[in-house]
Amino acid sequence: MSDNEGVTKTQAKYARGTRSYTMSRIRGKDTSIEKMVRSYLFAHGLRFRKNDKRYPGHPDIVLPKYHTIVFVNGCFWHMHENCSHHSMPKSNVEFWQTKLLRNRERDRQQHEQLRAMGWHVIDVWECELGKKTRESTLEHLLAQILDTHAD
């Protein structure tokens, strides 16, 4: 009988207390995907504010000149539907389901509020920034922002 027999995959992956430490290191702003999007937009001449607290949801990117707000969402935390990056955790399911559904509902409400204020709201998902689709996603984002300004 091996040492790990009868232990689930998740339990074997983390030593006791390690998961809590790992989860505490996850940050809500200046993530690698946010930095990637901001860098691309800045390199293409767009200027913006980041994590502006004056707006509902403290948007990741606010482009006042284009009256556009961009949220760069992690697929797990924002429950990206039909995405392989999002799956419900197997342990403590009730907690995670409540938390993630609350995140999704809050996102929906914030988007609604911003649209009511006259902002054009764009979501960019973590899975859209993978190596294979990154360039086309960022080009499409830039086009969406510039098209908004043309209206």
Side-chain angles (χ1 to χ4, degrees):
M1 196 157 121
S2 74
D3 290 344
N4 285 339
E5 200 167 317
V7 176
T8 65
K9 207 179 211 181
T10 306
Q11 289 170 329
K13 187 173 180 180
Y14 295 107
R16 185 164 181 76
T18 305
R19 182 181 310 165
S20 177
Y21 174 78
T22 302
M23 296 303 277
S24 74
R25 301 273 126 299
I26 298 171
R27 296 289 160 236
K29 57 185 179 182
D30 288 333
T31 62
S32 60
I33 56 176
E34 283 179 35
K35 289 177 183 177
M36 179 190 313
V37 172
R38 288 196 313 250
S39 175
Y40 182 87
L41 295 177
F42 192 88
H44 285 81
L46 276 65
R47 300 300 177 255
F48 47 82
R49 295 186 194 118
K50 61 181 201 158
N51 306 109
D52 197 325
K53 290 181 170 75
R54 293 178 293 175
Y55 303 105
H58 304 173
D60 300 317
I61 300 169
V62 179
L63 298 122
K65 178 179 177 180
Y66 302 94
H67 218 64
T68 299
I69 286 179
V70 179
F71 286 95
V72 183
N73 294 333
C75 296
F76 173 76
W77 294 107
H78 297 271
M79 288 185 73
H80 190 198
E81 294 182 52
N82 304 318
C83 174
S84 63
H85 288 90
H86 170 71
S87 63
M88 194 59 67
K90 304 280 186 264
S91 62
N92 208 0
V93 175
E94 188 177 325
F95 165 81
W96 283 109
Q97 191 166 20
T98 302
K99 178 175 183 52
L100 297 175
L101 286 171
R102 191 173 54 236
N103 287 353
R104 181 190 281 170
E105 179 58 24
R106 186 185 61 235
D107 289 347
R108 189 192 61 71
Q109 289 174 352
Q110 291 165 349
H111 284 46
E112 235 175 61
Q113 290 173 323
L114 290 164
R115 287 187 183 102
M117 295 166 67
W119 288 91
H120 180 237
V121 180
I122 302 172
D123 281 316
V124 177
W125 292 95
E126 174 185 18
C127 63
E128 297 171 334
L129 296 170
K131 288 182 182 178
K132 292 180 181 176
T133 57
R134 180 179 304 155
E135 196 62 33
S136 64
T137 297
L138 293 172
E139 288 170 0
H140 180 69
L141 172 63
L142 182 61
Q144 279 183 289
I145 293 167
L146 298 176
D147 286 349
T148 302
H149 190 57
D151 293 344

